[in-house]
Amino acid sequence: MAAGHRAQWKGFLKFGQVSCGIALYTAASTSERITFNTINKASGNRVNRIFIDSETEDPVPKEKQTKGFEIDNGQYIIIDPEEVAATIPESNKTLEIEAFIPCSEVDDVYFDKPYYLTPDKAGGDAFVALREAMKKSEVVAIARAVLFRRVRAVLIRPHGKGLIATTMNYDYEVRSSTKAFEEMPKLKIEGEMLDLAKHIIATKKGEFNPATFDDRYEAALAELVKAKMEGRSLPKPKKVEVSNPNNLLAALRESAGLLKAGAAESKPKRTAANANQGAGRQRATRATASKASAARSPAHRKAS
């Protein structure tokens, strides 16, 4: 892993009677996003957070704060931080694979956070053997380990020269899709309406490339901060033209007609997704954000 990347967790990956040293590195981060502080409008100073008693409204210092579980309206069981710490299971630093399953059996609604999983210096052979065997068998692995003070289920899958380990949501954490869709109307779409929808899909087919998706909200924030620092008027949002078709069929016909008319125009060539392209996306984000921070004085930093 490149310099500047620090392993979030180090331990061992075990499958059967084979084990190898591994490290987990964060695969996704929000550290590049623009953040704001809360400011006192009158003084321009940063506002500090103070905890107060909900009844007496007196400030409560950190050393007098503890944890509590509400059992009734306004009634709590007091739980000391030492008691919470005692419930954390001991870690043997082993990510043990429990089963290999077909890739198609995994519902990504259970995905939580991805990590790049790399071999330690002494475990390269076993690591590569596992990676190649999983590729050939077209399977992913379900493992379990104590990660970040919790027992977590982890999905491991081959990715390029390494593996990706994704922490999983537990079943009780995932809401029922049946409940979410229970009020969906029972409609049957067929004939011209279905053909037009399929035509639009066929015309718009492409390949997923994360580098083509720019964070327009972050870019707008950077431009807003830059405009404020330079004393320019704030950028005005573009007016959105909202179509108001009489019915769905008319909208589908209109969409299909527009796509057909533009079919002769050249399309930008898309390439398949690759996690390594994230570096280019990060550079673009940093370049946008740097416009806002380049001219920032110490006084501006304080009131950022």
Side-chain angles (χ1 to χ4, degrees):
M1 188 64 67
H5 286 76
R6 185 173 60 88
Q8 299 296 303
W9 184 89
K10 286 188 175 183
F12 301 92
L13 178 64
K14 184 178 180 182
F15 52 105
Q17 299 303 311
V18 181
S19 62
C20 62
I22 56 167
L24 293 182
Y25 295 85
T26 302
S29 172
T30 60
S31 62
E32 298 292 330
R33 292 179 182 174
I34 294 174
T35 58
F36 296 104
N37 295 318
T38 302
I39 305 299
N40 182 344
K41 281 187 176 182
S43 66
N45 297 326
R46 182 173 174 176
V47 175
N48 291 327
R49 179 179 296 178
I50 300 175
F51 289 90
I52 63 171
D53 189 293
S54 61
E55 295 294 330
T56 68
E57 297 187 354
D58 295 330
V60 182
K62 187 175 181 180
E63 63 270 14
K64 291 188 178 181
Q65 298 172 18
T66 189
K67 302 293 183 182
F69 180 81
E70 188 172 17
I71 56 175
D72 202 353
N73 187 22
Q75 299 295 317
Y76 300 90
I77 295 176
I78 302 300
I79 301 176
D80 293 327
E82 293 79 10
E83 294 176 304
V84 176
T87 65
I88 299 172
E90 292 186 10
S91 171
N92 62 0
K93 288 291 185 180
T94 300
L95 189 60
E96 185 164 0
I97 293 177
E98 298 182 350
F100 294 97
I101 61 176
C103 302
S104 58
E105 289 188 5
V106 182
D107 190 334
D108 58 10
V109 73
Y110 288 92
F111 287 7
D112 178 27
K113 190 173 181 180
Y115 295 87
Y116 293 129
L117 195 158
T118 66
D120 204 354
K121 295 178 181 178
D125 291 349
F127 184 93
V128 173
L130 174 64
R131 183 196 66 200
E132 292 304 303
M134 290 175 65
K135 282 183 180 179
K136 297 290 185 182
S137 304
E138 296 185 347
V139 295
V140 296
I142 297 293
R144 199 179 303 269
V146 177
L147 298 176
F148 319 120
R149 300 189 299 174
R150 283 192 61 190
V151 177
R152 296 175 185 265
V154 178
L155 181 80
I156 300 173
R157 51 202 164 105
H159 186 89
K161 295 181 179 179
L163 299 169
I164 285 185
T166 303
T167 53
M168 306 289 284
N169 294 315
Y170 286 108
D171 193 49
Y172 73 87
E173 295 175 309
V174 176
R175 295 182 177 181
S176 169
S177 59
T178 302
K179 203 167 187 177
F181 303 138
E182 63 184 359
E183 295 184 6
M184 285 285 294
K186 294 181 179 180
L187 300 174
K188 188 174 183 180
I189 305 299
E190 55 187 4
E192 183 186 5
M193 191 176 292
L194 182 60
D195 290 339
L196 285 169
K198 289 166 64 179
H199 172 74
I200 293 171
I201 291 172
T203 308
K204 299 286 287 183
K205 274 187 177 178
E207 295 179 1
F208 177 64
N209 180 1
T212 63
F213 297 102
D214 55 335
D215 191 338
R216 297 181 182 180
Y217 178 70
E218 280 293 298
L221 282 183
E223 180 59 28
L224 172 61
V225 173
K226 187 171 184 287
K228 295 280 283 187
M229 288 194 303
E230 295 175 353
R232 294 187 285 108
S233 58
L234 303 183
K236 295 181 180 179
K238 294 181 180 179
K239 186 179 179 181
V240 179
E241 298 293 336
V242 180
S243 59
N244 186 22
N246 295 326
N247 54 51
L248 176 60
L249 184 57
L252 287 168
R253 285 171 176 166
E254 182 182 358
S255 299
L258 290 172
L259 289 171
K260 188 175 181 181
E265 297 180 5
S266 61
K267 296 181 180 179
K269 188 176 181 181
R270 292 186 175 181
T271 56
N274 188 319
N276 293 330
Q277 292 172 335
R281 183 172 66 256
Q282 289 176 3
R283 286 193 295 270
T285 303
R286 291 195 188 102
T288 302
S290 66
K291 293 178 182 178
S293 60
R296 185 181 295 174
S297 64
H300 280 115
R301 290 193 187 100
K302 184 177 180 182
S304 60

